[in-house]
Amino acid sequence: MFYEPKKKDHGLPKNPFNSLVIPRPIGWVSSVDEEGIQNLAPYSFFNAVSYSPPTVMLSGGVGTAADGMKDSIRNIEASGEFVCNLATWETRDQMNASSESVPSDVDEIALSGLTAIPANIVNAPRIKEAPVHLECRYLKSVDIPGWTEADAYRVIFGEVVGIHIDDDFITDEGLVDVAKLLVIGRLGYNDYTVVNSDSHFTMNRPT
């Protein structure tokens, strides 16, 4: 089949685009607002974009607040800080619960039954139940124009200034045991995937 996204002429029950760029990492982003209220939300438009310095991006659409912004994006731009927590098979239900649209004064960390713990460098909290945390400082925002105002997205870039890795997931050879982490990823629709020993494989690059 062929279709033009702007014409929406795919003829399918749901837009297939989200199920074509897969699997997508989940940026489980914790932040704090100016009143000290903690926020937690999963972003499947998320990835690493550079090594030195290590830099990540996340992208969010229009929010339900009066200013039309997602709480996470507003908090990050105002505070200049955030944390990306690794979403895993064990925390899949809490990750899903934290995606609920709730008023800005609701603490999604508490709502999801999770534990907030301090970061080492930034003021945004970490999620105790996550095995990896990336402490980030806000770098810049880039607005992506939409076909309508409701379709607009904002991309946030952040420099990773601190990294926490649970020692249980570091091998005797000093490598991160990615299969043991059981990281989950987004596949589109309501579908997800998990990285485990069955789905994990190794290929050496040509020299």
Side-chain angles (χ1 to χ4, degrees):
M1 66 173 289
F2 170 79
Y3 76 99
E4 296 181 50
K6 194 166 187 177
K7 293 181 179 179
K8 301 180 181 179
D9 56 353
H10 48 73
L12 302 175
K14 293 185 177 181
N15 185 347
F17 175 73
N18 283 1
S19 293
L20 300 176
V21 184
I22 56 173
R24 298 194 303 280
I26 298 170
W28 204 12
V29 176
S30 50
S31 60
V32 62
D33 71 10
E34 294 174 327
E35 304 299 321
I37 298 172
Q38 299 177 135
N39 179 268
L40 179 67
Y43 285 81
S44 63
F45 287 155
F46 167 82
N47 220 316
V49 296
S50 68
Y51 274 125
S52 304
T55 304
V56 296
M57 59 75 64
L58 63 102
S59 178
V62 174
T64 57
D67 60 5
M69 295 179 66
K70 296 276 191 183
D71 292 340
S72 300
I73 290 178
R74 183 190 312 106
N75 293 350
I76 291 168
E77 290 184 336
S79 70
E81 300 174 335
F82 61 103
V83 175
C84 293
N85 306 275
L86 201 65
T88 66
W89 176 256
E90 287 191 358
T91 58
R92 64 192 184 281
D93 291 330
Q94 293 96 324
M95 182 280 299
N96 192 44
S98 69
S99 68
E100 182 179 356
S101 295
V102 295
S104 299
D105 60 355
V106 173
D107 181 337
E108 285 95 345
I109 299 177
L111 180 68
S112 304
L114 295 163
T115 309
I117 57 176
N120 285 28
I121 298 175
V122 304
N123 289 322
R126 297 184 289 136
I127 302 304
K128 181 180 180 180
E129 292 78 3
V132 173
H133 317 104
L134 308 179
E135 298 189 28
C136 302
R137 285 209 177 104
Y138 169 67
L139 289 175
K140 66 184 294 187
S141 301
V142 177
D143 288 325
I144 306 298
W147 293 327
T148 68
E149 284 190 19
D151 295 319
Y153 269 68
R154 178 167 292 180
V155 183
I156 298 288
F157 291 91
E159 178 182 343
V160 180
V161 295
I163 299 176
H164 303 257
I165 307 171
D166 187 324
D167 290 339
D168 288 342
F169 298 96
I170 297 178
T171 68
D172 292 339
E173 294 76 26
L175 304 177
V176 176
D177 192 337
V178 295
K180 185 178 178 181
L181 281 168
L182 296 179
V183 178
I184 58 175
R186 189 72 188 275
L187 295 178
Y189 306 133
N190 293 321
D191 300 327
Y192 293 81
T193 188
V194 61
V195 177
N196 56 32
S197 57
D198 293 327
S199 64
H200 170 260
F201 64 97
T202 299
M203 296 176 66
N204 293 322
R205 289 186 179 184
T207 57

